[in-house]
Amino acid sequence: MANGNAQQKLSGTDVVKARKGLMITPDLCIACRGCQTACKQWNKLPGDATTNSGTYENPPALTAHLYNQIHFIEKPKDVGIDWLFVRRACMHCGEAGCMDICPAPGALFRTDEGAVAFNKEKCIGCKLCVAACPFDVPRYDSDNKISKCTLCSDRISNGLSTACAKGCPTGAIRFGSRDPLISAASAAGYTVYGEKDLEGLGVMFALKGDYKEYNLPQPTYHAGIALWNSVIRPLSVIGLGAVAAGALIHYLTIGPKDVEPDETAKKGGE
Ligand code: SF4
Ligand code: SF4
Ligand code: SF4
């Protein structure tokens, strides 16, 4: 299914008429975390208990209750530290591996504005979307249901901006139609990360340097998802698909399961 034919993709954005998105400009971010707070407030997400890990970054990663996190990159210099602040959240990929791998119809879906949203009632907690996401985004709540940014679908479908963009005091998060966001960033001299990758990311970055300096990954559609869609998904009707795909995606993304030495000894000794 990941053969470049967008019309056949389960996750493709070809049905979206007016695709909305975000442009993130790390240069403008002051790490106030107003966006984290605005997101929690709008989505009624509780706080997470954290510990001091020796950096100002807090919490250190996305959680089921944190859809939007500011990642701190610290670069020591002769005197003091240079910081880069990089927002982490769902990228609302045009070609969304999470949607393509999901065996539960309607658990993940594309909104009219191009966001990738979820329906917890339909999620079966299989966690295949975790393995298929190149950005390490999906998290699970205490009921084992998916939890992630929805691009504030309930707001943008009513003509509002996302809560994080509204709460950002510096313009580091801008919300709007995707094409004008790209034009404005390019005109300001930035390189746009995510303009064309994965049929265009819904969340893009305006960068002055190489994307690797911002700890951003190369957006990748895992090869195993294509096999899942063409070969293994049909098996799901007889209840074999999810287990087989889990093993396959694990193998392709992480590698073969290591056998613990004591496990080997036990097998050999019995
Ligand atoms: S970033 Fe991950 S969870 Fe978000 S749409 Fe892309 S694949 Fe899905
Ligand atoms: S778009 Fe909405 S749900 Fe997503 S990070 Fe921003 S405030 Fe949170
Ligand atoms: S609200 Fe804006 S400036 Fe503050 S941390 Fe978020 S992106 Fe950065």
Side-chain angles (χ1 to χ4, degrees):
M1 190 65 77
N3 56 8
N5 186 346
Q7 296 302 318
Q8 293 177 13
K9 285 183 189 306
L10 297 170
S11 68
T13 53
D14 48 298
V15 295
V16 175
K17 294 184 189 71
R19 192 173 176 199
K20 302 292 187 188
L22 296 174
M23 184 65 74
I24 314 298
T25 309
D27 275 5
L28 301 179
C29 179
I30 55 173
C32 66
R33 287 173 282 204
C35 52
Q36 288 187 191
T37 307
C39 178
K40 276 186 177 282
Q41 189 175 36
W42 179 257
N43 291 292
K44 298 185 173 58
L45 298 166
D48 290 299
T50 57
T51 54
N52 187 336
S53 59
T55 132
Y56 289 109
E57 184 175 8
N58 186 44
L62 296 174
T63 74
H65 305 137
L66 186 72
Y67 295 172
N68 168 51
Q69 185 242 359
I70 299 299
H71 172 48
F72 284 45
I73 300 172
E74 298 178 348
K75 293 184 176 173
K77 54 184 186 181
D78 288 345
V79 179
I81 290 174
D82 268 341
W83 267 306
L84 275 178
F85 307 120
V86 184
R87 177 184 180 273
R88 285 173 169 161
C90 177
M91 306 291 263
H92 300 282
C93 312
E95 181 181 50
C98 60
M99 286 181 65
D100 286 349
I101 201 77
C102 179
L108 287 162
F109 61 95
R110 180 79 61 189
T111 70
D112 288 346
E113 297 80 21
V116 177
F118 60 81
N119 180 341
K120 281 184 190 270
E121 288 183 9
K122 296 192 172 171
C123 174
I124 58 173
C126 65
K127 299 188 172 66
L128 287 179
C129 55
V130 175
C133 175
F135 298 101
D136 185 30
V137 166
R139 297 293 191 270
Y140 286 81
D141 63 20
S142 54
D143 294 325
N144 223 19
K145 305 286 188 182
I146 186 170
S147 213
K148 72 169 193 71
C149 161
T150 62
L151 200 64
C152 282
S153 298
D154 50 349
R155 290 175 60 89
I156 67 175
S157 60
N158 286 296
L160 300 171
S161 70
T162 63
C164 54
K166 188 171 172 59
C168 177
T170 66
I173 303 178
R174 289 199 192 281
F175 169 78
S177 295
R178 207 171 163 275
D179 290 345
L181 287 173
I182 294 167
S183 300
S186 301
Y190 290 105
T191 300
V192 176
Y193 171 93
E195 179 180 355
K196 297 210 166 75
D197 304 286
L198 299 179
E199 292 175 19
L201 303 180
V203 177
M204 299 162 288
F205 281 81
L207 302 178
K208 281 277 164 68
D210 189 275
Y211 68 89
K212 292 181 190 139
E213 291 172 25
Y214 297 81
N215 287 351
L216 289 165
Q218 172 68 48
T220 307
Y221 192 88
H222 291 308
I225 300 168
L227 194 56
W228 154 247
N229 274 312
S230 60
V231 178
I232 302 176
R233 182 184 284 274
L235 296 178
S236 64
V237 295
I238 56 172
L240 296 175
V243 173
L248 174 71
I249 297 292
H250 184 278
Y251 183 86
L252 290 172
T253 58
I254 298 170
K257 181 181 183 297
D258 291 333
V259 178
E260 297 295 329
D262 57 342
E263 205 177 322
T264 312
K266 212 188 296 172
K267 279 183 184 158
E270 283 172 356

